[in-house]
Amino acid sequence: MREDVENLDITDVTANWVNAAVLQHQIDERIKALADLSHTPLFFGRLDYLHAPGADKAEGAEGERFYIGRRHVHDAEGDPMVIDWRAPVSQPFYRASKKDPMDVGLRRRFGYTSGDLTAYEDEHLSDPSEAAATSKLLQQEIERPRVGPMRDIVATIQPEQDEIVRAGLAGSVCVQGGPGTGKTAVGLHRVAYLLYAHRERLARTGTLVIGPNKSFLHYIEQVLPALGELEVKQATVDDLVAHVEVRGTDDATAAVVKGDARMAEVLRRAVRSHVTLPTEGVVVVRGSRRWRVPAYELETIVGELLDRDIRYGAAREALPQRIAHAVLVQMERSGEAPDDRVQDAVARNTAVKAAVKAIWPPVDPAKLVLRLLTDADFLAVHADGILDEDEQKEILWSKPVRSVKSAKWSPADAVLIDEATDLVQRTHSLGHVVLDEAQDLSPMQYRAVGRRCTTGSATVLGDLAQGTTPWATRSWDEALAHLGKGEAVIEELTAGFRVPTDVIAYASRLLPHIAPGLTPVASVRENPGFFEVRPTTVDEQVVDACEELLRNEGSVGLIAADARIPALTEALAASGLTYLGPGEETTAQTRLTLVPASLAKGLEYDYVVLDEPQAVVDGEPDERTGLRRLYVALTRAVSGLTVTHAAPLPQQLA
C-alpha cells in the first residue's frame, strides 16, 4: 500500500503549482501514516460471523470472516485483508460475550512477541457448551513489560471502555477513572475513533489533546501515530495561554484566588469600565453638508451595544458603523439615496473615528491585568462585592512594574490575560478537545480550555483522588460547569488493568482521607504483583533496591519527593547506575528513570521504587494535597513496588 502511494505520478493531474504542492503534501502524509512500526503487528484479532453482517439471517446464509487490526489493509486488487478496529463491523470484537454473542461464532485473539505471532486463543461465543473464561492472552498483554513510550490498548479495549471510545462527536464525555483504569488510553483512542468517523468535519475544525506537562505529552505522543493518526495537536494549558512570558510564581493562596471563577467577573467589569458614555455629539462633514448625531442618540447606541454583551472588540468595530447608520438615516430623510459605500466612508470619517476612540478605546489585555495586579484602587473598584479585602491583598503585587515585558508573570496571571483576551476578541474554537489529568485545573483554567471548544465537544479525563494542586477539582459537575459543558455525561471506570492487586490495595488506604466516597479501583489482574515496604538508613540502600528491580524485564521508575532528587542523583552517580529523566524514552540499555513526585502523574513503569513517602507528603502546601501526591506516586507500578523509608511512614498508610 505504501509503495502504491510512493509510485503515484501527479505530473499531469494538477492545474497549477499550488495544487501540486497541496497534493504532494497529502501524499507525504499518507506515506507517513502507512509507515511500518517495529514490534507492532497490523492485526491482533479475528471475527467469524455466523451470517454476513447486514445480510438476511435466513437459514443457510453464509457467514463471513474478518481480521481486526490497527488500520485498514487491502491487497493488490483492493480487497480488504484487515479491517480497521474503528469500523462498525469490528465492534463485536470488544463487546460480544457469551450472553450477547452479536452473531459471532468465533472470536480469536492473537498473541505477539516482538512483532512475531506466537500464540492464539479462541472463544466460541455462540456455542452454549463452552463456558465463559478469562482470556489469558488478554492478561498477558496487559501485564507485558513496558519499555519506551505509552502503549496503545487497541487490542485490549474492554466493553465499558469501548462504549466511551465510540460515543458520538456531538456530546461531551467526562471519565472518572482511578489509577490504571486506562482513562488516558481511552481518551486517545476516542480521538482516533472520532477522526475515523468524522474525518472531514474534524479536518476543518481541528482536534487537540491537552496534558498536564511536556513530559506527559512526550510520553503519550506515539499512541495516535501507532493507530495511523498524525494530525492531532498536543499542548499543555500553559501553551494555550502563552500570551506573555511566564517567569514568576505565586504562593498557593494567591494562586487559588487568581484561579477562582469569580476573577472572570472582575475582569469583565474592568474591561467594560473603559467605555465612557458620550457628553458631546458627532459632526460629520461631507462636501457642503454637515450631519450631526447628538449625544443622547450616541448614548442610546452605546447602551444597546453594552446590553448585547458582545465581545468588547466586536462592539468597538460595530460602533462606527452604528454611528454611520444614524448619519445615513438623516441623509435619507433629506432626500439623498446613500448606499453601503457611503456608510463605510462615514464610518471611516475622522470625526467618527475620534468619537469611537474617546467612547470605546482599545484595550490591551496584558496591560489591563497588569493594572489590576498593581493598582489597588483599580482592583478595589472592580472587585467590590466579589473579592474581600484579604483576597485583594493576596493577588496585589508588592513591587511596581514598569511594563508588560518586564513583569514576572505567573502561570495563573497568564490565564487571567487569556480571559481578558477573550473578553476583547473571541477565541477560536476547535471541533474536539481531550483534556487529561483534568482534576488539577483551576476554574479559570477550565474556562480557558472551554473557550477552545465552545462550538465543539470535549472528552474530560481525570481522577478526583489524584488532584494535587491546592485548587484541585472537588466535583466533576462543578468542573464541567466551568468548562461550559454542564450537559456532559459522566462515566466511571473502576476496573484496574495496570496496577497489581496488592499495590492498589495498599494505595487505596489513602482514599478515605483524600476522596471520601470515591469507589476504590478493583484490579482485574490475576497476578497480585510484587510489593514490599523496606526500611533504609542510607541512600545507597535505595539504589540497591533499584538494582534489584532492574534484574527483571521492563522499566523501573525511582520516584521521590522533589527535595530528595539532588541526594538521589548523587547516590546514583556514585553507584555508576545510568538513568533518564521523566518523559525520556527508555531503551534496552537504560531502563531506570528518576522521577520527581511532582512529575509522576500519568506515567507508568513496570517496577517502581518509591522513596520516603512522608517526604512526598511534606513537599506539598497541605496534608491532603500531599497525601494525594503520594497516592499518585504509589500507583505508577505495573508489576511491582518497593517502598523505601528511613523516616516513619504516614499514619494514613498504617
Side-chain angles (χ1 to χ4, degrees):
M1 288 170 67
R2 188 172 61 250
E3 286 171 0
D4 286 345
V5 181
E6 289 172 342
N7 293 331
L8 285 173
D9 184 1
I10 62 171
T11 309
D12 300 320
V13 297
T14 53
N16 52 51
W17 70 269
V18 175
N19 288 351
V22 171
L23 185 55
Q24 188 59 53
H25 174 72
Q26 291 173 340
I27 289 172
D28 292 342
E29 290 300 300
R30 176 69 174 155
I31 292 169
K32 278 189 210 171
L34 289 171
D36 287 323
L37 298 170
S38 59
H39 310 315
T40 303
L42 282 173
F43 67 94
F44 48 79
R46 189 182 107 188
L47 287 177
D48 290 4
Y49 278 87
L50 297 176
H51 309 89
D56 184 10
K57 292 181 171 52
E59 201 66 42
E62 286 191 20
E64 200 164 350
R65 173 179 296 172
F66 299 97
Y67 285 87
I68 312 301
R70 284 168 170 74
R71 62 186 69 177
H72 172 85
V73 181
H74 61 248
D75 62 17
E77 281 70 45
D79 294 326
M81 298 176 68
V82 179
I83 304 298
D84 195 299
W85 66 275
R86 298 167 286 188
V89 77
S90 303
Q91 191 171 356
F93 184 77
Y94 303 109
R95 295 204 195 175
S97 64
K98 295 293 287 186
K99 287 183 179 177
D100 181 14
M102 299 175 75
D103 200 43
V104 172
L106 178 141
R107 172 168 58 199
R108 174 170 289 179
R109 300 181 190 275
F110 294 98
Y112 289 87
T113 303
S114 299
D116 295 328
L117 178 62
T118 53
Y120 68 88
E121 181 180 75
D122 288 347
E123 296 171 87
H124 298 88
L125 297 175
S126 298
D127 183 354
S129 64
E130 184 178 292
T134 303
S135 167
K136 286 191 166 41
L137 278 182
L138 202 62
Q139 285 286 337
Q140 289 168 8
E141 175 63 19
I142 289 168
E143 296 173 9
R144 180 161 58 86
R146 285 140 166 82
V147 174
M150 179 181 177
R151 298 181 307 161
D152 64 74
I153 61 163
V154 65
T156 61
I157 292 173
Q158 299 300 292
E160 65 272 20
Q161 296 173 325
D162 190 62
E163 286 184 27
I164 298 168
V165 167
R166 295 177 193 264
L169 177 61
S172 293
V173 180
C174 174
V175 183
Q176 157 64 40
T181 54
K183 57 185 178 297
T184 296
V186 165
L188 295 176
H189 286 66
R190 176 159 164 70
V191 173
Y193 171 77
L194 292 175
L195 284 168
Y196 175 87
H198 308 278
R199 189 166 300 281
E200 286 188 14
R201 179 175 170 186
L202 289 176
R204 292 194 307 271
T205 56
T207 51
L208 176 67
V209 174
I210 302 173
N213 52 55
K214 296 288 187 186
S215 297
F216 180 80
L217 293 178
H218 180 72
Y219 177 64
I220 67 171
E221 68 184 356
Q222 293 304 316
V223 173
L224 290 166
L227 303 173
E229 299 298 344
L230 304 170
E231 295 299 314
V232 181
K233 292 183 171 61
Q234 298 181 11
T236 64
V237 174
D238 290 344
D239 293 333
L240 298 183
V241 300
H243 304 285
V244 292
E245 184 183 358
V246 173
R247 295 182 296 149
T249 55
D250 288 311
D251 62 39
T253 310
V256 168
V257 177
K258 288 179 181 179
D260 195 297
R262 293 174 297 162
M263 287 300 299
E265 178 59 23
V266 175
L267 288 164
R268 194 184 78 88
R269 286 183 183 180
V271 169
R272 288 168 68 97
S273 72
H274 289 76
V275 178
T276 306
L277 292 177
T279 55
E280 297 180 358
V282 176
V283 178
V284 177
V285 179
R286 283 185 60 80
S288 60
R289 302 292 299 271
R290 294 163 63 88
W291 308 97
R292 186 173 186 277
V293 182
Y296 71 84
E297 191 170 349
L298 288 176
E299 191 172 329
T300 301
I301 292 171
V302 172
E304 287 174 353
L305 287 172
L306 287 171
D307 290 342
R308 285 176 62 191
D309 203 25
I310 58 177
R311 297 295 193 283
Y312 184 92
R316 188 173 187 275
E317 290 173 6
L319 182 56
Q321 289 291 336
R322 296 291 296 273
I323 295 173
H325 178 73
V327 171
L328 258 66
V329 170
Q330 294 182 34
M331 289 181 176
E332 289 169 348
R333 284 176 185 159
S334 69
E336 294 189 23
D339 57 16
D340 289 347
R341 288 174 298 175
V342 175
Q343 180 166 330
D344 289 340
V346 173
R348 293 193 301 268
N349 182 275
T350 306
V352 174
K353 287 163 74 174
V356 170
K357 188 174 181 180
I359 297 169
W360 214 291
V363 169
D364 182 304
K367 288 181 179 177
L368 175 78
V369 174
L370 185 64
R371 187 178 175 192
L372 274 174
L373 298 177
T374 56
D375 185 336
D377 293 336
F378 187 67
L379 176 62
V381 168
H382 302 300
D384 183 40
I386 300 175
L387 304 179
D388 61 35
E389 288 186 16
D390 290 338
E391 289 172 323
Q392 291 177 37
K393 286 177 184 175
E394 280 293 341
I395 64 173
L396 275 170
W397 292 357
S398 55
K399 296 179 182 177
V401 178
R402 287 181 300 174
S403 67
V404 168
K405 284 190 176 180
S406 64
K408 288 191 175 181
W409 299 105
S410 70
D413 298 332
V415 178
L416 296 179
I417 294 171
D418 189 70
E419 179 84 29
T421 302
D422 184 71
L423 288 166
V424 175
Q425 188 172 5
R426 184 182 294 276
T427 304
H428 173 67
S429 174
L430 298 162
H432 192 78
V433 169
V434 173
L435 174 61
D436 203 1
E437 300 295 349
Q439 72 280 345
D440 274 341
L441 268 60
S442 70
M444 290 298 285
Q445 286 176 316
Y446 276 116
R447 290 176 62 88
V449 174
R451 286 192 282 279
R452 271 76 186 177
C453 55
T454 48
T455 57
S457 54
T459 299
V460 181
L461 312 164
D463 179 11
L464 296 178
Q466 295 187 60
T468 51
T469 55
W471 50 84
T473 303
R474 287 172 292 194
S475 79
W476 290 122
D477 287 332
E478 183 183 319
L480 292 168
H482 293 312
L483 193 68
K485 302 295 178 187
E487 79 293 345
V489 176
I490 300 175
E491 303 280 2
E492 187 170 9
L493 296 175
T494 56
F497 303 97
R498 172 167 55 79
V499 187
T501 304
D502 290 354
V503 175
I504 196 65
Y506 185 69
S508 294
R509 295 180 185 183
L510 299 174
L511 281 180
H513 308 280
I514 59 176
L518 208 61
T519 306
V521 172
S523 179
V524 298
R525 300 270 297 274
E526 291 182 351
N527 179 2
F530 168 79
F531 174 64
E532 179 189 16
V533 178
R534 182 185 297 184
T536 59
T537 53
V538 291
D539 292 340
E540 285 73 16
Q541 291 172 306
V542 179
V543 176
D544 291 343
C546 294
E547 290 178 328
E548 287 174 28
L549 294 180
L550 283 167
R551 292 171 195 151
N552 300 301
E553 187 182 359
S555 58
V556 176
L558 170 54
I559 303 176
D562 293 31
R564 289 273 297 144
I565 295 298
L568 292 174
T569 300
E570 286 186 21
L572 289 169
S575 71
L577 202 57
T578 58
Y579 62 92
L580 302 165
E584 293 183 74
E585 193 170 325
T586 53
T587 64
Q589 292 73 37
T590 307
R591 295 181 289 120
L592 175 65
T593 305
L594 178 59
V595 187
S598 61
L599 296 180
K601 189 168 295 177
L603 305 180
E604 59 183 44
Y605 302 94
D606 286 296
Y607 295 90
V608 167
V609 176
L610 175 59
D611 171 70
E612 292 296 355
Q614 188 60 54
V616 174
V617 177
D618 293 341
E620 300 299 326
D622 59 85
E623 186 181 59
R624 188 183 186 194
T625 304
L627 290 172
R628 286 181 165 186
R629 182 76 72 189
L630 178 58
Y631 181 73
V632 170
L634 283 167
T635 53
R636 299 304 95 201
V638 176
S639 298
L641 170 68
T642 298
V643 177
T644 60
H645 67 102
L649 292 170
Q651 61 181 14
Q652 292 85 353
L653 284 177

